[in-house]
Amino acid sequence: MSNISKVSSVATTWIGLTALASLALVALFLPALTAAADSAVVLEYHHVSEDTPPSTSVTPKTFERHMDYLAANGFEVWPLPRLVAAVRAGREVPERAIALTFDDGYRSVYEEVFPRLQARGWPFTIFISTAYLDGGDRNYVSWEQLREMEAAGVTIGNHSVNHPHMIRRREGENEAAWLQRMRREIVDAQARLEQELERPARLFAYPFGEFSPAVAALVRKLDFVGFGQQSGAVGPGSDFSALPRFPIATAFAGMDSFAIKVRSRPLPVTGTRPESGVLDPGDDRPRLRLTLGPGPYRPEAIRCYLGGDTLPLELKTGNPPRLSMRPARALQPGRSKVNCTAPATDGDQWFWYSFVWMKPLPDGSWYRE
């Protein structure tokens, strides 16, 4: 992740959570609920280690605190395929249903996560980029370790072969060639998983959380459920080619923010303009327009944040209501996440929606991670 992207992500989260802080302590001590719901939360971790970059890590101690919170507050940890199938079909799930995911398959998942979750009897999913395992990179799990975890009930998903930025074309590459290359990243990775494992899932996590409408359409065509890294809960109205997950790392790992996120609900956004967050170099202040669906929230209570700023909102009431927002300052190259939240009117949860802008450098080249 680029320094710019890190700063943007941290600042956006801090501002959003500052606005929500009044409920944070309450959420920590709420009793378990037994009611049913139609949405659920998916968490995304990378490293669980003391020695890896804070931008993509939590410590084992912090991870244990997160899991203790889930256990003490009546959460039901479901396998990701089961959770997705239930929500997609419109079936009721427990009000505190949650799924745990880990991108890339770092060694710490085998050494730190696997024994801890096995002891609790909790399922989880690992998304694997197969080239790292085939190359014998010692920072990642081995095929043998992956088979051991799968035999114990861990779900293995697809994270591409080479972990590319899927929105980027190579120099001189036309759209057809680019999409064919992206298709090979997904199909070839799935073939390797099927060669090495018994039952890899048709679940795909976008590397870096980057996708576009064309890439999402490819994921749908290949019959995968896709996952990004934009924040929010999963509901029956979600786009199942690009489902949200809450990224959890050191900057976002405090117990107050964790408690709010795991209890969130999906803000019913029924339309987004533009559909793609991929920008041209000169798109300094892109406008985002959201069409809202019904739900137990007040549109006028929605607040949106980006890069440390509270975004000025234009609300058009009506049926349906529409929101429009534009950053006051020019976006810097990198990923910039818009977070929109609204308090529920039928409880003390928060509705949540995120959208990610991806802006190249002024010369049209792409930022480095």
Side-chain angles (χ1 to χ4, degrees), residues 207-341:
F208 308 100
E210 294 181 347
F211 59 88
S212 65
V215 175
L218 176 63
V219 168
R220 285 194 299 272
K221 184 177 181 180
L222 293 173
D223 195 29
F224 283 83
V225 174
F227 294 87
Q229 295 180 25
Q230 73 278 19
S231 302
V234 175
S238 298
D239 179 356
F240 282 79
S241 65
L243 292 174
R245 295 180 293 169
F246 280 104
I248 307 294
T250 296
F252 326 119
M255 292 309 301
D256 52 355
S257 64
F258 184 82
I260 292 170
K261 289 173 180 177
V262 296
R263 300 182 64 254
S264 66
R265 296 156 72 176
L267 186 67
V269 173
T270 60
T272 305
R273 293 290 182 274
E275 293 183 354
S276 176
V278 182
L279 298 172
D280 292 327
D283 290 337
D284 290 336
R285 297 176 57 220
R287 183 173 295 278
L288 178 63
R289 296 179 174 87
L290 305 178
T291 302
L292 304 174
Y297 69 97
R298 292 180 295 111
E300 63 272 20
I302 295 175
R303 298 293 181 268
C304 297
Y305 312 92
L306 184 149
D309 295 327
T310 301
L311 292 174
L313 302 180
E314 300 173 17
L315 173 64
K316 294 184 178 180
T317 59
N319 189 17
R322 291 180 170 85
L323 276 179
S324 177
M325 65 201 78
R326 190 180 183 197
R329 295 179 292 181
L331 295 184
Q332 296 301 306
R335 287 186 294 274
S336 300
K337 184 188 294 185
V338 176
N339 279 316
C340 295
T341 61

Side-chain angles (χ1 to χ4, degrees), residues 120-160:
R120 296 177 185 268
W122 285 359
F124 65 98
T125 295
I126 309 174
F127 288 103
I128 293 294
S129 291
T130 58
Y132 298 137
L133 277 64
D134 286 336
D137 190 325
R138 293 177 59 84
N139 292 313
Y140 297 85
V141 299
S142 66
W143 285 114
E144 182 179 355
Q145 291 167 340
L146 205 60
R147 283 190 288 270
E148 178 187 347
M149 288 190 283
E150 184 191 45
V154 175
T155 300
I156 312 300
N158 188 328
H159 202 34
S160 79

Side-chain angles (χ1 to χ4, degrees), residues 7-229:
V7 171
S8 175
S9 297
V10 171
T12 298
T13 302
W14 184 87
I15 288 292
L17 293 176
T18 298
L20 304 182
S22 60
L23 288 183
L25 292 178
V26 175
L28 282 171
F29 299 105
L30 285 170
L33 301 177
T34 57
D38 65 352
S39 65
V41 168
V42 181
L43 301 181
E44 180 221 7
Y45 293 87
H46 284 85
H47 302 274
V48 178
S49 173
E50 300 274 2
D51 306 319
T52 47
S55 60
T56 54
S57 303
V58 296
T59 66
K61 182 178 179 179
T62 296
F63 182 72
E64 194 70 30
R65 291 181 67 200
H66 290 174
M67 299 304 102
D68 286 345
Y69 176 85
L70 298 179
N73 287 274
F75 285 84
E76 295 191 34
V77 181
W78 278 26
L80 186 60
R82 179 188 179 194
L83 183 147
V84 168
V87 174
R88 193 174 197 176
R91 298 193 297 269
E92 290 184 342
V93 298
E95 183 152 353
R96 296 193 177 184
I98 198 163
L100 306 173
T101 69
F102 299 82
D103 281 11
D104 302 328
Y106 290 108
R107 186 176 60 192
S108 66
V109 176
Y110 179 77
E111 296 175 346
E112 301 288 351
V113 173
F114 182 45
R116 284 178 166 83
L117 295 185
Q118 280 286 286
R120 296 177 185 268
W122 285 359
F124 65 98
T125 295
I126 309 174
F127 288 103
I128 293 294
S129 291
T130 58
Y132 298 137
L133 277 64
D134 286 336
D137 190 325
R138 293 177 59 84
N139 292 313
Y140 297 85
V141 299
S142 66
W143 285 114
E144 182 179 355
Q145 291 167 340
L146 205 60
R147 283 190 288 270
E148 178 187 347
M149 288 190 283
E150 184 191 45
V154 175
T155 300
I156 312 300
N158 188 328
H159 202 34
S160 79
V161 174
N162 298 296
H163 203 276
H165 292 268
M166 299 188 77
I167 62 169
R168 303 183 186 182
R169 297 190 200 181
R170 293 172 175 168
E171 186 175 355
E173 187 175 49
N174 62 28
E175 182 173 9
W178 160 61
L179 288 174
Q180 180 60 27
R181 180 165 57 86
M182 293 303 99
R183 184 182 187 279
R184 290 196 303 270
E185 285 284 345
I186 300 170
V187 172
D188 291 355
Q190 194 70 15
R192 284 294 293 126
L193 294 173
E194 290 173 358
Q195 288 170 358
E196 296 285 350
L197 305 170
E198 292 293 327
R199 52 185 183 281
R202 295 193 74 82
L203 305 173
F204 181 77
Y206 296 100
F208 308 100
E210 294 181 347
F211 59 88
S212 65
V215 175
L218 176 63
V219 168
R220 285 194 299 272
K221 184 177 181 180
L222 293 173
D223 195 29
F224 283 83
V225 174
F227 294 87
Q229 295 180 25

